[in-house]
Amino acid sequence: QVQLAESGGGLVQAGDSLRLSCAASGRTFSSYAMAWFRQTPGQERNLVAAISWNSERVYYAASGQGRFNISRDNAKNILYLQMNNLKPDDTAVYYCAAQTGGPLGESWPYRIFGQGTQVTVSP
């Protein structure tokens, strides 16, 4: 089973950009569809963006459409989330996640999560 570790979070101002990374351990990273979720206190963890194992298909939730870009480097076992024009509503803990079977744009197939990285956007 793959293990995931996020990095790149921090405190930024509205309008800034940030790139999150997720390093995966194990030799089977390329067999997983991957995704980014985010969660605020007291709320459910919500799917933000997802990418197929070969990068041919991507999915974006409405919250990130046009501002976020998900990508992956299977040679380096890394997943990325480029976030542009950040808003205070983007403040959350961001998690990367992996799944091996199920619709790309639905939350339920993602069963493997990292520990998360905090993103805080000030007004």
Side-chain angles (χ1 to χ4, degrees):
Q1 178 170 308
V2 68
Q3 293 184 321
L4 307 172
E6 302 90 340
S7 62
L11 172 63
V12 297
Q13 293 184 330
D16 286 350
S17 297
L18 204 59
R19 188 176 80 160
L20 305 182
S21 299
C22 173
S25 64
R27 294 175 292 178
T28 59
F29 174 72
S30 61
S31 66
Y32 291 88
M34 299 294 297
W36 287 97
F37 286 72
R38 69 186 186 186
Q39 186 174 28
T40 55
Q43 303 296 316
E44 291 185 354
R45 194 154 44 186
N46 293 319
L47 178 63
V48 173
I51 187 168
S52 62
W53 69 274
N54 59 1
S55 302
E56 287 189 355
R57 293 179 295 123
V58 293
Y59 164 86
Y60 294 100
S63 57
Q65 188 75 39
R67 298 187 300 125
F68 294 178
N69 183 65
I70 188 171
S71 61
R72 66 190 295 165
D73 186 334
N74 285 347
K76 297 181 179 179
N77 284 7
I78 300 179
L79 174 74
Y80 300 102
L81 183 68
Q82 176 68 42
M83 303 187 293
N84 301 318
N85 190 22
L86 283 162
K87 305 175 182 179
D89 284 349
D90 295 318
T91 296
V93 177
Y94 284 73
Y95 298 89
C96 65
Q99 62 118 319
T100 58
L104 196 67
E106 294 191 24
S107 299
W108 63 263
Y110 297 92
R111 303 297 182 91
I112 304 169
F113 288 85
Q115 293 300 305
T117 185
Q118 176 71 46
V119 172
T120 303
V121 184
S122 63

